[in-house]
Amino acid sequence: SNPRSGNAPLTVAFNLGASDSDGSIGAWVLDTNSDGNADYSGTGNPPSSKTYTYNNLGSYSVVFLVSDNKGASSNPCLDTINVGSNNPPTSSLSASPLSGDAPLTVGFSLSASDSDGYIANWELSYGDGNLDSGNGNPPAAKTHTYANNGTYSAILNVYDNGNVNTFSMKTITVNAKNQIPTCSLSSSPRSGNAPLTVTFNLGASDSDSSIAS
């Protein structure tokens, strides 16, 4: 059988074989889950393999029996399958700054761990169609520049060696690039004899906000 142990759900392949020196194989029975009942059976030679998925935790005795064309039964072929649980990994994602004007460069801090295995791979999606990924533990830091304004969900996904995943998320808010204000100045008169009184006409506008001072 392969594998003989692992986390639920565990799919196991059983390799079967039988022979009879003075006749032929008449029937076969395979009990995969220790309940005393045949999960697979048939007449004649058994197939070369069968698969079974264990969904619950536990230790299971596997019994394979064959009988020949004269009704004699073989000694049982035995194996044991151990099915355990898989604790999900943990992950952490932080980002700085969380908001600002475009283009906004954000630094991300990443970490991940697994209490009963190891981190197999990771993926950091920045929410704008770009991502970084790799095998093993994620790097401690990544940076990314958001070119356009909008609200983005940055998501760190990590997977352990049992393909169980967890994720962490941060929201990044990118504002439109601040446009510079405009001003206007005219004066009248622009020349004359002293004492000369001049009137200045002032104007200001801002296309994406307001004039502060």
Side-chain angles (χ1 to χ4, degrees):
S1 54
N2 184 44
R4 299 182 67 194
S5 64
N7 297 316
L10 180 67
T11 298
V12 178
F14 297 99
N15 297 314
L16 310 176
S19 63
D20 187 54
S21 61
D22 59 355
S24 59
I25 301 299
W28 61 275
V29 172
L30 177 64
D31 175 15
T32 62
N33 56 10
S34 308
D35 64 358
N37 298 314
D39 297 294
Y40 302 102
S41 62
T43 57
N45 282 301
S48 60
S49 65
K50 279 290 186 180
T51 60
Y52 185 84
T53 299
Y54 296 88
N55 293 304
N56 299 314
L57 310 186
S59 180
Y60 298 90
S61 295
V62 181
V63 180
F64 177 52
L65 286 168
V66 297
S67 58
D68 66 13
N69 58 311
K70 297 177 182 178
S73 296
S74 67
N75 292 321
C77 297
L78 304 175
D79 204 350
T80 301
I81 305 299
N82 293 302
V83 184
S85 62
N86 184 9
N87 295 321
T90 60
S91 66
S92 175
L93 178 67
S94 60
S96 182
L98 292 174
S99 63
D101 295 336
L104 180 66
T105 298
V106 179
F108 294 94
S109 297
L110 302 74
S111 66
S113 63
D114 189 52
S115 61
D116 58 356
Y118 58 89
I119 302 299
N121 52 74
W122 61 275
E123 178 184 280
L124 176 59
S125 171
Y126 298 106
D128 60 354
N130 296 295
L131 60 84
D132 285 316
S133 62
N135 296 322
N137 282 296
K142 296 292 288 186
T143 60
H144 182 69
T145 299
Y146 293 90
N148 301 311
N149 64 297
T151 300
Y152 302 94
S153 295
I155 301 174
L156 172 64
N157 263 298
V158 297
Y159 296 81
D160 68 9
N161 54 303
N163 203 37
V164 175
N165 83 298
T166 191
F167 71 92
S168 300
M169 183 178 72
K170 288 296 180 182
T171 299
I172 308 298
T173 303
V174 183
N175 305 314
K177 184 177 181 180
N178 188 22
Q179 303 297 316
I180 63 172
T182 60
C183 64
S184 62
L185 172 65
S186 63
S187 55
S188 180
R190 299 181 65 190
S191 63
N193 296 320
L196 181 65
T197 300
V198 178
T199 300
F200 295 97
N201 299 310
L202 311 177
S205 64
D206 188 54
S207 62
D208 59 355
S209 187
S210 59
I211 302 298
S213 60

